Amino acid sequence: MARKPTAQPPETAGASPASAARRKFLNGIAAAAGGGVLLTAASWLAVRPASANPALALRPPGALGEAAFLSACVRCGLCVRDCPYDTLKLAPQGDGVAPGTPFFTARDVPCEMCDDIPCVKACPTGALNPKLTDIQQAEMGLAVLSDHESCLNFLGLRCDVCYRVCPVIDKAITLEKLHNPRSDRHALLLPTVHSEHCTGCGKCEKACVLPEAAIKVMPVKLARGALPEHYRKGWEEKEKHGGSLIGEQLELPVRGLEDKAYGDVRVAAPPLDAPSAPSGMNSRWQP
Amino acid sequence: MNAPASVSRGAGKGWLAAHRWLILRRLSQLTVLALFVSGPWFGLWIAKGNLASSLTLGVLPLTDPYLFLQSLAAGFLPGASALLGAAIVVAFYAAFGGRLYCAWVCPVNPLTDAAAWLRRRLGLKSGRAPAAATRYWVLAGSLLAAALSGTLVWEWVNPVSIVQRSLIFGLSGSLAVVLALFAYDLLVASRGWCGHLCPMGAFYGLLGQASLVRVSAAARGRCDDCLDCFAVCPEPQVIRPALKRAGQDSPLILDRDCTACGRCIDVCDKDVFRFTHRFDQRSDS
């Protein structure tokens, strides 16, 4: 500190030998230092488990990565005050989220993705990055269809609610048509999230009709996997290159099925409504 | 302090005169909170945010410099608005009095004042207070912890932040913090939190070392050694040099720990103390 800590009361210095006074002074310093270090160390230990785990709460648009965010956010709540939909809340004590930091729970109130992003404008420190000016570029989280067993579309129904409410419909969520092998004559339209376009606003999770949402928005770090860096997708490389990189492939029939449309790729498939198609069994579904 | 708990404190000059600065201080503390909650409660937006950082009437940014410093220590340079806000706050407290924050703004002060009052009333002598310099070590430790961990570690546990934020934003879960603080000050250490541990108070004290607003024991010749001021002062060690000329001739209380709360002025029957500025060396003895 700039100055010596508060001077010892003169009566102790005067009444006792100098060495005793010095010892008392040093003891005082040691006690203060020990207490201070103990207090801060204890608080740090208390914090570590909370900051080590990725927070399950979703951060406002433009929030820096969790580690940087926790060094930048002063917990003032200005973003909360300027959120016109009361989406954002400040975390209370002992809730898993760093206390006093802003978050939202998609299932309660999702982000309405305001065009002018008032929460980012309100942030005095830059914990919500002012460079975010297009809300479509926000990465508050990533929607994950986490429960394939309960999702009504996976069961073969046409719920589609998550797809319909998505503000980035047909980009962030698409319906992928697949054969329904259970009935063998219907389609499954599977809601599929595309991380490139999903902003993590949470409208899908909010709108999911199930008692417990089958699609949930999670922090990106928790939701996303990653391919090894050296992986290349053949079909993308092929398109970039303007053709196969390894030349035309030799195509051979399956042994014993030569000249049959379902075994020999050299034979053109008969039209779908061909009367010869076995009824009810072969819907020509290809995985 | 071992002063006997006086029941006739300031009785000589009437209740109102003996509580003038206390009432003004409580009004100031309430006003600060009211400016923040009038928006969410009544739709009358004056100050937005909380004491960590705020925007008043849409134009005046204020940021707590201690939080700003923690953020810097954690390796983040806060943006222009926070920088300007912190500069304004630093300028104000450096000029007028660092620990004016503690006595006139901080919402923890009424809590620890209440604990101290109850402790005096009950005559409790239990526990042991840590060294008063511990707060500087906590201050240094909180900044070091921020630097080492890259996050605002202290803000997880900072009771001052927790209490003011909970009051302004109506957050639950901080009652435990309030009770712990109260119990600590009541049972373990007299003036334990504000007077010995709080790094925020230490920070503002350092900030206001050369500030203008001072209490002066201008009429120290009238002192009859009743010890009422020592009993009521949250930082009793600051009074002695000015009142008893211990190591200084000036009647001004110049110690950075003085919170300029004015309780000594209130309780003194002989009107020894008064508020003045740091260049006022007038003294009756």
Side-chain angles (χ1 to χ4, degrees):
Chain A
M1 295 299 104
R3 249 195 327 163
K4 263 196 331 179
T6 331
Q8 289 297 298
E11 63 263 22
T12 51
S16 43
S19 65
R22 194 181 306 126
R23 192 181 314 128
K24 192 174 176 200
F25 175 75
L26 291 175
N27 278 345
I29 295 272
V37 169
L38 211 65
L39 205 60
T40 30
S43 71
W44 192 359
L45 283 179
V47 166
R48 277 170 67 99
S51 56
N53 298 331
L56 279 170
L58 301 173
R59 294 298 186 194
L64 305 174
E66 188 69 8
F69 184 77
L70 289 179
S71 74
C73 174
V74 295
R75 295 121 163 97
C76 69
L78 278 166
C79 54
V80 174
R81 289 295 192 226
D82 277 2
C83 173
Y85 298 96
D86 287 339
T87 301
L88 297 176
K89 306 272 181 243
L90 284 190
Q93 289 300 117
D95 204 31
V97 188
T101 57
F103 75 104
F104 71 99
T105 308
R107 189 66 162 165
D108 296 341
V109 190
C111 173
E112 295 287 339
M113 290 174 61
C114 310
D115 278 334
D116 53 347
I117 331 183
C119 49
V120 171
K121 283 188 182 155
C123 180
T125 65
L128 307 182
N129 195 339
K131 288 190 184 121
L132 180 76
T133 50
D134 176 10
I135 190 65
Q136 304 277 344
Q137 302 301 317
E139 286 180 3
M140 296 171 267
L142 179 59
V144 178
L145 207 156
S146 53
D147 189 356
H148 292 187
E149 291 171 314
S150 312
C151 172
L152 297 182
N153 275 39
F154 267 76
L155 296 178
L157 299 173
R158 289 298 304 276
C159 165
D160 299 0
V161 167
C162 56
Y163 163 77
R164 295 280 166 207
V165 299
C166 178
V168 202
I169 187 170
D170 282 325
K171 285 183 185 161
I173 302 185
T174 57
L175 292 176
E176 299 296 319
K177 190 164 85 176
L178 284 184
H179 169 73
N180 182 345
R182 185 170 48 77
S183 74
D184 205 28
R185 65 185 69 198
H186 298 96
L188 293 174
L189 288 131
L190 304 183
T192 306
V193 180
H194 303 274
S195 60
E196 191 190 340
H197 295 287
C198 177
T199 64
C201 73
K203 290 210 134 185
C204 51
E205 180 178 341
K206 170 69 178 171
C208 179
V209 301
L210 300 179
E212 179 74 39
I215 189 165
K216 289 193 168 82
V217 181
M218 302 177 183
V220 177
K221 193 165 167 34
L222 190 68
R224 281 211 76 175
L227 287 171
E229 268 183 39
H230 64 280
Y231 272 41
R232 299 288 179 271
K233 288 167 186 158
W235 55 95
E236 283 176 2
E237 298 299 317
K238 185 174 170 182
E239 198 172 330
K240 259 193 272 176
H241 184 254
S244 172
L245 289 161
I246 53 171
E248 281 307 307
Q249 298 217 44
L250 192 59
E251 292 187 328
L252 295 171
V254 178
R255 186 177 297 157
L257 296 177
E258 293 88 350
D259 302 327
K260 302 245 185 326
Y262 48 88
D264 187 341
V265 289
R266 297 168 302 183
V267 179
L272 275 177
D273 54 355
S276 63
S279 65
M281 287 302 292
N282 183 9
S283 63
R284 288 175 208 289
W285 177 71
Q286 299 288 322
Chain B
M1 278 297 108
N2 296 322
S6 163
V7 279
S8 59
R9 192 162 288 126
K13 52 184 184 182
W15 188 88
L16 201 63
H19 293 83
R20 197 171 116 212
W21 293 107
L22 180 66
I23 293 166
L24 286 174
R25 235 155 35 77
R26 292 290 177 255
L27 281 177
S28 163
Q29 289 156 347
L30 276 176
T31 306
V32 169
L33 287 180
L35 294 179
F36 280 103
V37 298
S38 69
W41 289 7
F42 311 114
L44 180 67
W45 290 99
I46 301 169
K48 272 186 185 175
N50 62 34
L51 292 176
S53 190
S54 63
L55 187 66
T56 301
L57 296 173
V59 288
L60 175 69
L62 296 173
T63 297
D64 189 308
Y66 175 50
L67 270 152
F68 189 91
L69 208 59
Q70 285 183 71
S71 212
L72 273 185
F76 180 80
L77 178 63
S81 170
L83 185 65
L84 177 65
I88 294 172
V89 175
V90 165
F92 177 83
Y93 286 106
F96 293 104
R99 294 200 70 191
L100 284 178
Y101 177 86
C102 301
W104 294 80
V105 176
C106 181
V108 171
N109 173 269
L111 181 74
T112 56
D113 269 358
W117 176 84
L118 196 60
R119 194 176 160 95
R120 273 201 312 273
R121 269 303 169 94
L122 299 177
L124 293 178
K125 304 279 179 220
S126 57
R128 181 167 176 270
T134 308
R135 52 186 140 187
Y136 297 105
W137 291 94
V138 178
L139 174 60
S142 67
L143 295 176
L144 188 67
L148 292 177
S149 65
T151 124
L152 309 187
V153 171
W154 185 250
E155 290 310 304
W156 252 273
V157 292
N158 186 350
V160 179
S161 296
I162 292 169
V163 169
Q164 61 94 356
R165 188 168 61 224
S166 304
L167 286 170
I168 293 172
F169 278 82
L171 302 177
S172 60
S174 44
L175 194 64
V177 177
V178 168
L179 288 177
L181 216 55
F182 188 81
Y184 178 70
D185 266 27
L186 178 67
L187 303 171
V188 182
S190 171
R191 295 287 178 180
W193 177 256
C194 299
H196 299 79
L197 295 178
C198 179
M200 225 152 164
F203 175 83
Y204 278 97
L206 290 168
L207 187 62
Q209 295 223 65
S211 56
L212 283 172
V213 177
R214 295 288 156 180
V215 173
S216 169
R220 54 191 168 185
R222 294 208 290 259
C223 174
D224 64 356
D225 296 329
C226 73
L227 289 177
D228 276 356
C229 56
F230 284 95
V232 84
C233 178
E235 304 276 356
Q237 76 279 10
V238 308
I239 298 178
R240 207 183 133 81
L243 186 63
K244 296 294 166 194
R245 297 166 172 267
Q248 73 176 50
D249 199 43
S250 162
L252 293 171
I253 295 177
L254 292 166
D255 196 299
R256 63 176 171 232
D257 289 342
C258 174
T259 66
C261 69
R263 279 303 273 154
C264 52
I265 307 175
D266 278 349
V267 300
C268 183
D269 266 344
K270 307 291 178 197
D271 288 329
V272 166
F273 300 96
R274 59 189 170 93
F275 269 123
T276 183
H277 56 84
R278 72 178 294 119
F279 303 109
D280 178 9
Q281 298 290 351
R282 283 174 298 166
S283 164
D284 69 347
S285 66

